[in-house]
Amino acid sequence: MTGPGLNAMDGLWAHLSGGALLWLTLTLGVYAIADRLSLLVQRNPLANPVLHSVWVIGVILVASGTPYQTYFDGAYFIHFLLGPSTVALALPLYENRRVVMRSLVPIVAALLVGSIATIGSVIVCAAVFDLPAMITISSLPKSATSGVAMGISQSVGGDASLTAILVVATGIVGAVMATPLLNLLRIEDRRARGFAVGLAAHGVGTARAFQVHPLTGTFAGVAMSLNGLMTAVLVPLAASFLGG
């Protein structure tokens, strides 16, 4: 069915969809609604706002036939804010610095074990499922925050775009599963809970940890930051091992 009115609507949509304001506004609006719904159900892990924002926006992009690159260009300002928001985690870290320093020894031990485990799990899965080398290498830094993970992936010959997808998926799954899993394991210490979530699920997990408790979020931020450094050291070693 065609007509002047329909053609005008098509033209208007083509104009709007190519602009940055539409996708930026849409992203913020969808997240705000998802966050509000999460609050209404008392921050149930299954109501994670990032999880639901991703699939809702994905449906909109598919339904409208909008290329991902067009969306990314429009919402780039949000991507840009990942850097400043990560740096802002230094504030709660500074406020709780005495608590963090008292836990320095277990932090270092947990960091070593956790970082090796996250990378080792990829190697084990690659061997069990006979994954292609590109997928394996791109998956190695999946538990580091996206900016760090993509840079590491490129440096060892991985696909940065695939790494970004895996990082987001890891963060969402970790944020959703963390609370029930830690409850099942009867881990009640807020420091341990936060560190585990931040190490395994980076920024998404850290955001979830701050919703639970400020101290939990602080230790999640510590884990996310330190794991980025540890991942930058361990992934090249793992990649060279796989390449050999």
Side-chain angles (χ1 to χ4, degrees):
M1 185 175 179
T2 59
L6 186 58
N7 291 335
M9 290 297 295
D10 289 342
L12 178 61
W13 171 252
H15 174 73
L16 290 175
S17 62
L21 185 60
L22 173 66
W23 299 115
L24 178 61
T25 304
L26 177 68
T27 302
L28 295 176
V30 169
Y31 182 84
I33 294 172
D35 187 61
R36 180 61 179 172
L37 293 175
S38 173
L39 185 61
L40 291 176
V41 295
Q42 300 179 339
R43 298 299 185 188
N44 186 294
L46 293 177
N48 186 280
V50 176
L51 168 63
H52 296 290
S53 296
V54 167
W55 75 258
V56 168
I57 292 175
V59 168
I60 293 173
L61 294 180
V62 172
S64 63
T66 303
Y68 174 75
Q69 190 60 49
T70 299
Y71 166 76
F72 182 80
D73 291 343
Y76 180 79
F77 183 68
I78 297 175
H79 176 76
F80 167 78
L81 289 177
L82 283 174
S85 63
T86 301
V87 175
L89 291 172
L91 180 58
L93 173 59
Y94 176 78
E95 293 175 344
N96 293 276
R97 61 192 181 281
R98 291 185 178 85
V99 178
V100 172
M101 292 304 298
R102 287 199 298 267
S103 308
L104 190 58
V105 173
I107 281 177
V108 173
L111 174 65
L112 290 173
V113 173
S115 296
I116 293 173
T118 58
I119 295 172
S121 65
V122 174
I123 298 175
V124 171
C125 289
V128 171
F129 297 104
D130 193 24
L131 298 177
M134 177 60 72
I135 293 179
T136 302
I137 292 175
S138 300
S139 302
L140 290 174
K142 63 180 175 55
S143 289
T145 188
S146 59
V148 174
M150 293 171 68
I152 294 173
S153 179
Q154 286 182 319
S155 70
V156 296
D159 185 331
S161 298
L162 177 58
T163 299
I165 294 172
L166 294 170
V167 167
V168 172
T170 299
I172 291 175
V173 172
V176 170
M177 293 182 59
T179 297
L181 180 59
L182 292 171
N183 289 342
L184 180 64
L185 296 174
R186 298 182 179 179
I187 298 175
E188 299 180 355
D189 189 294
R190 296 190 187 279
R191 298 168 299 175
R193 292 173 71 99
F195 199 87
V197 174
L199 194 151
H202 50 82
V204 181
T206 299
R208 167 63 182 166
F210 271 109
Q211 291 177 346
V212 174
H213 193 275
L215 184 59
T216 305
T218 295
F219 273 80
V222 171
M224 182 183 73
S225 302
L226 294 179
N227 188 48
L229 296 174
M230 187 60 66
T231 301
V233 173
L234 294 179
V235 165
L237 295 175
S240 63
F241 168 77
L242 292 172

